[in-house]
Amino acid sequence: MAMAAMKLEETTDTITIHSSRFGAMDVDPEKVITLTSTLPGFPESQRFALRQHSSKSPFMWLQSMDNPKLAFVVIQARILAPQYAPELPLAAIRELGASKDQLETLLILSIPKGKPEQMTANLLGPLVINSATRKAKQILLDPNKYDSSWPVFEPEQG
């Protein structure tokens, strides 16, 4: 299946990407997030940009700079689940070239169409970013300890 190429326009100050969801987006080259290994199922996407959902929302969009149709809704782990503090593999920390205090953890959210109250967060595969270098990696944790579909909202008792 052929994929439409992402149009990139680079100047010294910004990179303009043309995404299917947001149209033209200007990205500071120093803010580009580069994965050290691609996300499972998305081998064509290695560079991403973060975009706030809105000024009052804790949600962000992780927009692929390599695929105009690929964007994930994410949230900082410390906002959604302050108690979430998985032990990260030392090899992954080394791969990112970071100390633990330089790491930011994002959780990828799944939102069923028309049912935001059924939103889940992937605690099993957080996206960890070295805030200094903007290198990132999705880290697979222990499935006996972490859920890939953790409910964001408590189910209504009826």
Side-chain angles (χ1 to χ4, degrees):
M1 177 166 90
M3 184 177 315
M6 171 79 72
K7 288 185 182 179
L8 293 177
E9 299 169 18
E10 294 192 42
T11 67
T12 55
D13 298 331
T14 63
I15 301 170
T16 301
I17 61 175
H18 298 276
S19 73
S20 61
R21 182 176 301 275
F22 306 110
M25 283 177 53
D26 289 333
V27 179
D28 179 341
E30 293 184 17
K31 303 260 183 189
V32 172
I33 297 167
T34 304
L35 298 179
T36 58
S37 55
T38 60
L39 299 172
F42 305 100
E44 77 288 348
S45 294
Q46 192 161 14
R47 297 174 309 142
F48 288 84
L50 273 176
R51 174 190 172 109
Q52 278 299 133
H53 179 69
S54 71
S55 62
K56 296 182 183 200
S57 173
F59 302 112
M60 296 176 284
W61 290 91
L62 185 67
Q63 172 66 55
S64 170
M65 295 179 67
D66 303 311
N67 177 348
K69 295 180 180 180
L70 183 62
F72 299 97
V73 180
V74 297
I75 191 169
Q76 292 176 328
R78 63 182 167 78
I79 292 173
L80 183 63
Q83 73 285 4
Y84 179 72
E87 187 65 34
L88 301 174
L90 187 56
I93 295 171
R94 284 188 183 135
E95 184 177 336
L96 294 173
S99 60
K100 287 187 180 184
D101 62 328
Q102 290 177 309
L103 297 176
E104 178 181 355
T105 303
L106 299 179
L107 301 175
I108 298 174
L109 302 175
S110 293
I111 307 170
K113 189 171 185 155
K115 298 182 180 185
E117 70 279 1
Q118 294 179 10
M119 179 186 319
T120 61
N122 183 351
L123 301 184
L124 180 62
L127 185 67
V128 180
I129 303 169
N130 177 333
S131 58
T133 65
R134 309 303 288 169
K135 286 184 183 178
K137 179 176 186 62
Q138 185 177 33
I139 297 177
L140 184 60
L141 301 172
D142 183 348
N144 295 313
K145 293 181 181 180
Y146 299 101
D147 193 345
S148 63
S149 297
W150 181 73
V152 171
F153 302 108
E154 293 289 328
E156 288 186 24
Q157 302 297 320

